[in-house]
Amino acid sequence: MRKIILKGCREHNLKGFDLELPLYRVIAVTGVSGSGKSSLVFDTLFAEGERRYLETFSTYVRQYFERLPRPRVETIENIPPAIAISQINPVKSSRSTVGTLSEITHFAKMLYFRASEARCAGCGRAVLPAEPVETARRLLETFSGQPAILTAPVPAEKDPELLRRGLLQAGYSRTYLAGRVCDLEEMERLPEKLEVVLDRLRLEPANFERLVEALERGLAMAGEVRVHLPYGQELRFTNRERCPYCGLTVPRRTPNLFSFNSPLGACPECRGFGRVLDIDWDLVIPDPRKSLREGAITVLEMPFAWEVREDLLDYCRRKNVPLDCPWGELPEEVRRKILYGDGSWYGVKDLFDWLETKRYKAHVRILLSRFRAYRECPLCGGTRFRKEALQFYLNGLHLGDFYALSVAEARGFMEEFLARDGLPRAEERLAREIHRRLRYLDEVGLPYLTLDRQSRTLSGGEVARVLLTRALSSELTETLYLFDEPTTGLHPRDTARVVRFLRE
């Protein structure tokens, strides 16, 4: 069996010794504080494993990596490339989440790109690409045995007679108008919205080829086919990127539309952070028990705002707003008008807008910082995505809803998706990769974390276990993994899970 052979180690407080470590084993390094555990594992084994791996890259690639110093050791033999996971939370960016840290978002982005269905922003109906054969099968499965009239909407032209002759020459002699079929030649005047009858048939397997042929003709001629069923029911299918019912355009589907780290998918208001820095009215009015006369609105008590305060008191007298009533007991509508204005009064918010124009002054920036705080983005609702990305749904959830699920809930969601029959191979592989990483996160004791939780809010042990999931999910072979107390702070039950996970 191969072994890592270390000779003459003198790193930090290690005083020169030889060591053999067998590969393909889980090895625990223990000892009292200051005995040299971290010096051996991280400053010697990891440093040499990473250094030798980086030596295989070109000089151009190596310039983008941090180079660890060569460890103080005579020789190290048979050491494989190394990956180290420490207890320190290395994440400082607000963009990093549990989903990005575990790389689930990468696969979820591609899964939604391939498998999601678009919904109209106006009516909420699913906008499915009309493929004739698949559409015909769906109609036969759902409305088997019912009579149907297939029509294609033709846009009106300046010369109705020319349109009539063109349709007759093409073989279309009937139109659908007000719930009945009319003869095109007998109509004295053509309506503005003309629906040409493609075929009349019963939805049954014997008419499958006729149904497909009618759908193909309608989509080629008008880009849209309408299926009229009994009791006034109507279905519409289109091969264009718009809703056939209300005409709103459906956003063009691209992979980066489903990434909040891309300008194509990020919310334009918060730029993919999910939060915005704005006025916090709880800081402006810290004590709602005070009245306006007693200075409930603290910013108006400052010397520079005395004119605004006088204007507010004058407005309250004109509108009969009680000045001695506690702020918290004023009607909601009155408070809203005081803060945002109502035409005859410009509002406290206007004062802050004016201060924003003076941000180039240091003391103004300091003043504004006293009354500002991060809050949920009002445009995206904290999902981080632009509204176009949230028009695509998978099993009833858009991507923002999916990321808001806990690990345990997301795992159940993916199991339900994988239970579908006839999943395309690419979509199944993406879903299984997401499910596998969710299962790992669940097994290492993190079922309560949501996928949109900011990474920098995690404890050191939680970050270590998420990174453990990412590292082992990649299924690298011939790799040396080095962990800094991966079971710190865990319940014994969760400790057993982590050990079992490591052995697996």
Side-chain angles (χ1 to χ4, degrees):
M1 179 183 295
R2 285 179 54 193
K3 298 180 181 180
I4 299 176
I5 301 175
L6 185 148
K7 295 182 179 180
C9 181
R10 300 182 305 279
E11 189 67 32
H12 298 314
N13 54 350
L14 298 177
K15 300 301 181 182
F17 64 91
D18 301 338
L19 185 66
E20 292 185 358
L21 298 173
L23 298 178
Y24 313 108
R25 291 289 185 271
V26 177
I27 301 174
V29 181
T30 65
V32 299
S33 178
S35 60
K37 302 185 298 296
S38 297
S39 298
L40 172 64
V41 174
F42 294 102
D43 298 327
T44 304
L45 295 176
F46 171 63
E48 184 65 11
E50 184 186 64
R51 188 188 68 80
R52 292 193 185 183
Y53 180 59
L54 293 182
E55 289 295 330
T56 64
F57 295 163
S58 66
T59 305
Y60 174 77
V61 173
R62 287 202 301 269
Q63 68 178 326
Y64 296 104
F65 290 90
E66 181 182 358
R67 304 285 297 278
L68 295 178
R70 184 190 295 268
R72 298 176 60 193
V73 62
E74 292 182 7
T75 60
I76 298 181
E77 300 177 8
N78 302 329
I79 188 167
I83 295 177
I85 299 176
S86 65
Q87 282 281 351
I88 301 173
N89 189 340
V91 180
K92 303 301 180 185
S93 172
S94 297
R95 288 190 180 275
S96 178
T97 64
V98 172
T100 59
L101 202 59
S102 59
E103 297 181 347
I104 288 175
T105 55
H106 174 70
F107 298 97
K109 172 182 74 173
M110 297 306 300
L111 179 63
Y112 267 78
F113 168 66
R114 298 186 63 92
S116 63
E117 65 177 22
R119 292 188 184 178
C120 176
C123 61
R125 293 186 177 94
V127 182
L128 302 174
E131 200 282 323
V133 175
E134 184 60 33
T135 302
R137 287 174 180 167
R138 190 161 61 248
L139 288 171
L140 292 180
E141 290 174 1
T142 310
F143 306 99
S144 179
Q146 297 189 29
I149 302 174
L150 277 73
T151 66
V154 178
E157 296 186 1
K158 294 182 179 180
D159 191 343
E161 289 303 317
L162 181 62
L163 175 62
R164 188 200 305 263
R165 289 197 300 269
L167 291 173
L168 291 173
Q169 290 176 2
Y172 300 104
S173 59
R174 295 181 177 85
T175 65
Y176 187 82
L177 182 64
R180 61 190 182 91
V181 177
C182 305
D183 195 303
L184 190 61
E185 290 184 309
E186 297 178 358
M187 297 179 67
E188 295 182 0
R189 183 180 179 184
L190 295 182
E192 294 183 2
K193 297 181 179 180
L194 184 65
E195 290 189 43
V196 178
V197 175
L198 302 169
D199 204 343
R200 292 184 290 177
L201 46 79
R202 187 171 294 274
L203 297 176
E204 53 190 23
N207 294 327
F208 178 75
E209 292 184 0
R210 278 181 61 187
L211 180 59
V212 172
E213 192 268 339
L215 290 169
E216 289 177 343
R217 284 191 288 114
L219 292 173
M221 178 172 63
E224 180 182 329
V225 174
R226 300 178 181 179
V227 181
H228 299 275
L229 299 168
Y231 309 108
Q233 188 174 4
E234 178 187 280
L235 302 175
R236 299 184 182 183
F237 303 92
T238 180
N239 57 3
R240 297 172 180 171
E241 292 182 344
R242 65 178 178 84
C243 175
Y245 294 92
C246 58
L248 292 180
T249 302
V250 174
R252 182 171 174 267
R253 190 189 304 243
T254 61
N256 282 341
L257 180 64
F258 303 102
S259 172
F260 55 76
N261 285 324
S262 167
L264 293 178
C267 168
E269 180 70 19
C270 64
R271 300 184 180 181
F273 286 96
R275 303 184 303 163
V276 292
L277 189 62
D278 202 358
I279 300 301
D280 187 342
W281 295 112
D282 291 334
L283 298 176
V284 178
I285 309 170
D287 188 359
R289 293 172 297 181
K290 287 185 177 181
S291 66
L292 292 173
R293 195 187 302 275
E294 294 171 337
I297 305 177
T298 55
V299 69
L300 299 186
E301 300 303 306
M302 297 181 177
F304 77 91
W306 69 271
E307 288 183 296
V308 180
R309 185 176 186 274
E310 292 299 321
D311 290 344
L312 173 59
L313 295 178
D314 182 61
Y315 166 78
C316 292
R317 294 188 188 100
R318 285 187 281 108
K319 297 295 183 180
N320 295 320
V321 177
L323 297 176
D324 296 316
C325 178
W327 173 264
E329 297 179 11
L330 291 175
E332 177 65 28
E333 181 67 17
V334 173
R335 287 184 287 174
R336 189 190 64 79
K337 289 181 178 179
I338 290 175
L339 295 179
Y340 295 99
D342 68 346
S344 60
W345 154 250
Y346 44 83
V348 179
K349 181 66 166 60
D350 191 70
L351 172 63
F352 285 103
D353 292 340
W354 176 77
L355 288 172
E356 284 288 340
T357 65
K358 308 295 181 181
R359 280 183 55 84
Y360 59 88
K361 300 179 181 179
H363 68 278
V364 174
R365 292 197 298 271
I366 295 172
L367 172 66
L368 285 173
S369 67
R370 292 177 54 187
F371 302 105
R372 301 177 73 173
Y374 282 102
R375 62 181 181 87
E376 185 181 89
C377 175
L379 185 60
C380 67
T383 63
R384 302 172 178 238
F385 291 98
R386 63 173 63 243
K387 62 180 182 180
E388 290 83 0
L390 302 181
Q391 287 183 233
F392 293 86
Y393 286 76
L394 189 68
N395 275 17
L397 298 181
H398 57 62
L399 199 51
D401 292 334
F402 175 67
Y403 288 157
L405 297 177
S406 67
V407 168
E409 293 170 339
R411 181 178 178 182
F413 176 84
M414 295 312 303
E415 288 172 353
E416 181 181 346
F417 177 77
L418 287 168
R420 287 184 179 182
D421 294 328
L423 273 179
R425 185 177 179 184
E427 296 171 12
E428 183 181 5
R429 291 190 64 182
L430 288 168
R432 291 199 180 280
E433 184 62 33
I434 296 172
H435 179 263
R436 186 165 66 92
R437 291 170 185 260
L438 290 170
R439 179 173 65 86
Y440 287 169
L441 288 172
D442 198 355
E443 289 180 354
V444 297
L446 301 174
Y448 55 89
L449 292 181
T450 57
L451 296 177
D452 60 0
R453 169 87 172 266
Q454 286 190 18
S455 301
R456 66 179 186 178
T457 66
L458 302 177
S459 67
E462 288 172 334
V463 170
R465 281 178 280 163
V466 174
L467 293 175
L468 169 69
T469 297
R470 183 178 72 180
L472 299 188
S473 295
S474 59
E475 294 186 341
L476 297 175
T477 59
E478 302 296 327
T479 304
L480 177 63
Y481 291 98
L482 304 162
F483 305 105
D484 183 10
E485 302 180 10
T487 60
T488 296
L490 293 185
H491 188 277
R493 178 185 64 252
D494 294 328
T495 298
R497 288 180 177 179
V498 173
V499 173
R500 185 174 64 251
F501 183 53
L502 290 172
R503 292 189 180 278
E504 180 184 345

mmCIF file with all atom_site columns, all heavy atoms in Angstrom, residues 462-474:
data_model
loop_
_atom_site.group_PDB
_atom_site.id
_atom_site.type_symbol
_atom_site.label_atom_id
_atom_site.label_alt_id
_atom_site.label_comp_id
_atom_site.label_asym_id
_atom_site.label_entity_id
_atom_site.label_seq_id
_atom_site.pdbx_PDB_ins_code
_atom_site.Cartn_x
_atom_site.Cartn_y
_atom_site.Cartn_z
_atom_site.occupancy
_atom_site.B_iso_or_equiv
_atom_site.pdbx_formal_charge
_atom_site.auth_seq_id
_atom_site.auth_comp_id
_atom_site.auth_asym_id
_atom_site.auth_atom_id
_atom_site.pdbx_PDB_model_num
ATOM 1  N N   . GLU A 1 462 ? -20.418 25.225 10.602 1.00 0.00 ? 462 GLU A N   1
ATOM 2  C CA  . GLU A 1 462 ? -21.359 25.103 9.489  1.00 0.00 ? 462 GLU A CA  1
ATOM 3  C C   . GLU A 1 462 ? -20.657 25.312 8.153  1.00 0.00 ? 462 GLU A C   1
ATOM 4  O O   . GLU A 1 462 ? -20.898 24.576 7.194  1.00 0.00 ? 462 GLU A O   1
ATOM 5  C CB  . GLU A 1 462 ? -22.491 26.114 9.671  1.00 0.00 ? 462 GLU A CB  1
ATOM 6  C CG  . GLU A 1 462 ? -23.451 25.761 10.796 1.00 0.00 ? 462 GLU A CG  1
ATOM 7  C CD  . GLU A 1 462 ? -24.440 26.875 11.088 1.00 0.00 ? 462 GLU A CD  1
ATOM 8  O OE1 . GLU A 1 462 ? -24.106 28.050 10.810 1.00 0.00 ? 462 GLU A OE1 1
ATOM 9  O OE2 . GLU A 1 462 ? -25.530 26.581 11.610 1.00 0.00 ? 462 GLU A OE2 1
ATOM 10 N N   . VAL A 1 463 ? -19.782 26.323 8.093  1.00 0.00 ? 463 VAL A N   1
ATOM 11 C CA  . VAL A 1 463 ? -19.036 26.554 6.849  1.00 0.00 ? 463 VAL A CA  1
ATOM 12 C C   . VAL A 1 463 ? -18.166 25.348 6.515  1.00 0.00 ? 463 VAL A C   1
ATOM 13 O O   . VAL A 1 463 ? -18.092 24.913 5.362  1.00 0.00 ? 463 VAL A O   1
ATOM 14 C CB  . VAL A 1 463 ? -18.167 27.825 6.974  1.00 0.00 ? 463 VAL A CB  1
ATOM 15 C CG1 . VAL A 1 463 ? -17.208 27.938 5.793  1.00 0.00 ? 463 VAL A CG1 1
ATOM 16 C CG2 . VAL A 1 463 ? -19.044 29.052 7.029  1.00 0.00 ? 463 VAL A CG2 1
ATOM 17 N N   . ALA A 1 464 ? -17.506 24.793 7.539  1.00 0.00 ? 464 ALA A N   1
ATOM 18 C CA  . ALA A 1 464 ? -16.633 23.636 7.304  1.00 0.00 ? 464 ALA A CA  1
ATOM 19 C C   . ALA A 1 464 ? -17.425 22.468 6.739  1.00 0.00 ? 464 ALA A C   1
ATOM 20 O O   . ALA A 1 464 ? -16.964 21.772 5.823  1.00 0.00 ? 464 ALA A O   1
ATOM 21 C CB  . ALA A 1 464 ? -15.939 23.235 8.607  1.00 0.00 ? 464 ALA A CB  1
ATOM 22 N N   . ARG A 1 465 ? -18.648 22.244 7.236  1.00 0.00 ? 465 ARG A N   1
ATOM 23 C CA  . ARG A 1 465 ? -19.438 21.120 6.747  1.00 0.00 ? 465 ARG A CA  1
ATOM 24 C C   . ARG A 1 465 ? -20.001 21.375 5.351  1.00 0.00 ? 465 ARG A C   1
ATOM 25 O O   . ARG A 1 465 ? -20.119 20.453 4.553  1.00 0.00 ? 465 ARG A O   1
ATOM 26 C CB  . ARG A 1 465 ? -20.564 20.808 7.743  1.00 0.00 ? 465 ARG A CB  1
ATOM 27 C CG  . ARG A 1 465 ? -20.071 20.005 8.937  1.00 0.00 ? 465 ARG A CG  1
ATOM 28 C CD  . ARG A 1 465 ? -21.174 19.738 9.926  1.00 0.00 ? 465 ARG A CD  1
ATOM 29 N NE  . ARG A 1 465 ? -21.412 20.913 10.771 1.00 0.00 ? 465 ARG A NE  1
ATOM 30 C CZ  . ARG A 1 465 ? -22.504 21.092 11.484 1.00 0.00 ? 465 ARG A CZ  1
ATOM 31 N NH1 . ARG A 1 465 ? -23.472 20.197 11.459 1.00 0.00 ? 465 ARG A NH1 1
ATOM 32 N NH2 . ARG A 1 465 ? -22.640 22.176 12.241 1.00 0.00 ? 465 ARG A NH2 1
ATOM 33 N N   . VAL A 1 466 ? -20.318 22.647 5.045  1.00 0.00 ? 466 VAL A N   1
ATOM 34 C CA  . VAL A 1 466 ? -20.759 22.952 3.680  1.00 0.00 ? 466 VAL A CA  1
ATOM 35 C C   . VAL A 1 466 ? -19.602 22.759 2.698  1.00 0.00 ? 466 VAL A C   1
ATOM 36 O O   . VAL A 1 466 ? -19.770 22.186 1.612  1.00 0.00 ? 466 VAL A O   1
ATOM 37 C CB  . VAL A 1 466 ? -21.308 24.391 3.591  1.00 0.00 ? 466 VAL A CB  1
ATOM 38 C CG1 . VAL A 1 466 ? -21.623 24.754 2.145  1.00 0.00 ? 466 VAL A CG1 1
ATOM 39 C CG2 . VAL A 1 466 ? -22.563 24.541 4.445  1.00 0.00 ? 466 VAL A CG2 1
ATOM 40 N N   . LEU A 1 467 ? -18.416 23.241 3.075  1.00 0.00 ? 467 LEU A N   1
ATOM 41 C CA  . LEU A 1 467 ? -17.240 23.041 2.220  1.00 0.00 ? 467 LEU A CA  1
ATOM 42 C C   . LEU A 1 467 ? -16.888 21.572 2.113  1.00 0.00 ? 467 LEU A C   1
ATOM 43 O O   . LEU A 1 467 ? -16.416 21.099 1.063  1.00 0.00 ? 467 LEU A O   1
ATOM 44 C CB  . LEU A 1 467 ? -16.055 23.832 2.778  1.00 0.00 ? 467 LEU A CB  1
ATOM 45 C CG  . LEU A 1 467 ? -16.177 25.354 2.732  1.00 0.00 ? 467 LEU A CG  1
ATOM 46 C CD1 . LEU A 1 467 ? -14.987 26.014 3.415  1.00 0.00 ? 467 LEU A CD1 1
ATOM 47 C CD2 . LEU A 1 467 ? -16.297 25.842 1.299  1.00 0.00 ? 467 LEU A CD2 1
ATOM 48 N N   . LEU A 1 468 ? -17.102 20.819 3.191  1.00 0.00 ? 468 LEU A N   1
ATOM 49 C CA  . LEU A 1 468 ? -16.891 19.372 3.156  1.00 0.00 ? 468 LEU A CA  1
ATOM 50 C C   . LEU A 1 468 ? -17.806 18.736 2.123  1.00 0.00 ? 468 LEU A C   1
ATOM 51 O O   . LEU A 1 468 ? -17.391 17.879 1.329  1.00 0.00 ? 468 LEU A O   1
ATOM 52 C CB  . LEU A 1 468 ? -17.157 18.782 4.541  1.00 0.00 ? 468 LEU A CB  1
ATOM 53 C CG  . LEU A 1 468 ? -17.251 17.263 4.660  1.00 0.00 ? 468 LEU A CG  1
ATOM 54 C CD1 . LEU A 1 468 ? -15.884 16.650 4.421  1.00 0.00 ? 468 LEU A CD1 1
ATOM 55 C CD2 . LEU A 1 468 ? -17.776 16.861 6.029  1.00 0.00 ? 468 LEU A CD2 1
ATOM 56 N N   . THR A 1 469 ? -19.053 19.172 2.103  1.00 0.00 ? 469 THR A N   1
ATOM 57 C CA  . THR A 1 469 ? -20.014 18.663 1.114  1.00 0.00 ? 469 THR A CA  1
ATOM 58 C C   . THR A 1 469 ? -19.559 18.990 -0.300 1.00 0.00 ? 469 THR A C   1
ATOM 59 O O   . THR A 1 469 ? -19.595 18.141 -1.194 1.00 0.00 ? 469 THR A O   1
ATOM 60 C CB  . THR A 1 469 ? -21.398 19.277 1.366  1.00 0.00 ? 469 THR A CB  1
ATOM 61 O OG1 . THR A 1 469 ? -21.855 18.871 2.655  1.00 0.00 ? 469 THR A OG1 1
ATOM 62 C CG2 . THR A 1 469 ? -22.387 18.830 0.325  1.00 0.00 ? 469 THR A CG2 1
ATOM 63 N N   . ARG A 1 470 ? -19.120 20.235 -0.519 1.00 0.00 ? 470 ARG A N   1
ATOM 64 C CA  . ARG A 1 470 ? -18.684 20.617 -1.863 1.00 0.00 ? 470 ARG A CA  1
ATOM 65 C C   . ARG A 1 470 ? -17.465 19.822 -2.293 1.00 0.00 ? 470 ARG A C   1
ATOM 66 O O   . ARG A 1 470 ? -17.384 19.356 -3.436 1.00 0.00 ? 470 ARG A O   1
ATOM 67 C CB  . ARG A 1 470 ? -18.363 22.115 -1.894 1.00 0.00 ? 470 ARG A CB  1
ATOM 68 C CG  . ARG A 1 470 ? -17.959 22.602 -3.282 1.00 0.00 ? 470 ARG A CG  1
ATOM 69 C CD  . ARG A 1 470 ? -17.701 24.077 -3.300 1.00 0.00 ? 470 ARG A CD  1
ATOM 70 N NE  . ARG A 1 470 ? -16.451 24.427 -2.618 1.00 0.00 ? 470 ARG A NE  1
ATOM 71 C CZ  . ARG A 1 470 ? -15.999 25.660 -2.504 1.00 0.00 ? 470 ARG A CZ  1
ATOM 72 N NH1 . ARG A 1 470 ? -16.692 26.672 -3.013 1.00 0.00 ? 470 ARG A NH1 1
ATOM 73 N NH2 . ARG A 1 470 ? -14.867 25.914 -1.881 1.00 0.00 ? 470 ARG A NH2 1
ATOM 74 N N   . ALA A 1 471 ? -16.513 19.649 -1.375 1.00 0.00 ? 471 ALA A N   1
ATOM 75 C CA  . ALA A 1 471 ? -15.276 18.954 -1.737 1.00 0.00 ? 471 ALA A CA  1
ATOM 76 C C   . ALA A 1 471 ? -15.540 17.484 -2.054 1.00 0.00 ? 471 ALA A C   1
ATOM 77 O O   . ALA A 1 471 ? -15.059 16.956 -3.064 1.00 0.00 ? 471 ALA A O   1
ATOM 78 C CB  . ALA A 1 471 ? -14.265 19.074 -0.599 1.00 0.00 ? 471 ALA A CB  1
ATOM 79 N N   . LEU A 1 472 ? -16.310 16.824 -1.197 1.00 0.00 ? 472 LEU A N   1
ATOM 80 C CA  . LEU A 1 472 ? -16.524 15.395 -1.409 1.00 0.00 ? 472 LEU A CA  1
ATOM 81 C C   . LEU A 1 472 ? -17.554 15.128 -2.494 1.00 0.00 ? 472 LEU A C   1
ATOM 82 O O   . LEU A 1 472 ? -17.574 14.036 -3.071 1.00 0.00 ? 472 LEU A O   1
ATOM 83 C CB  . LEU A 1 472 ? -16.948 14.733 -0.094 1.00 0.00 ? 472 LEU A CB  1
ATOM 84 C CG  . LEU A 1 472 ? -15.922 14.834 1.045  1.00 0.00 ? 472 LEU A CG  1
ATOM 85 C CD1 . LEU A 1 472 ? -16.357 13.984 2.227  1.00 0.00 ? 472 LEU A CD1 1
ATOM 86 C CD2 . LEU A 1 472 ? -14.537 14.393 0.583  1.00 0.00 ? 472 LEU A CD2 1
ATOM 87 N N   . SER A 1 473 ? -18.427 16.098 -2.795 1.00 0.00 ? 473 SER A N   1
ATOM 88 C CA  . SER A 1 473 ? -19.396 15.913 -3.871 1.00 0.00 ? 473 SER A CA  1
ATOM 89 C C   . SER A 1 473 ? -18.720 15.880 -5.232 1.00 0.00 ? 473 SER A C   1
ATOM 90 O O   . SER A 1 473 ? -19.261 15.315 -6.179 1.00 0.00 ? 473 SER A O   1
ATOM 91 C CB  . SER A 1 473 ? -20.436 17.044 -3.850 1.00 0.00 ? 473 SER A CB  1
ATOM 92 O OG  . SER A 1 473 ? -21.201 17.000 -2.677 1.00 0.00 ? 473 SER A OG  1
ATOM 93 N N   . SER A 1 474 ? -17.545 16.490 -5.319 1.00 0.00 ? 474 SER A N   1
ATOM 94 C CA  . SER A 1 474 ? -16.823 16.470 -6.596 1.00 0.00 ? 474 SER A CA  1
ATOM 95 C C   . SER A 1 474 ? -16.259 15.096 -6.912 1.00 0.00 ? 474 SER A C   1
ATOM 96 O O   . SER A 1 474 ? -15.860 14.833 -8.050 1.00 0.00 ? 474 SER A O   1
ATOM 97 C CB  . SER A 1 474 ? -15.693 17.503 -6.571 1.00 0.00 ? 474 SER A CB  1
ATOM 98 O OG  . SER A 1 474 ? -14.791 17.227 -5.507 1.00 0.00 ? 474 SER A OG  1
#
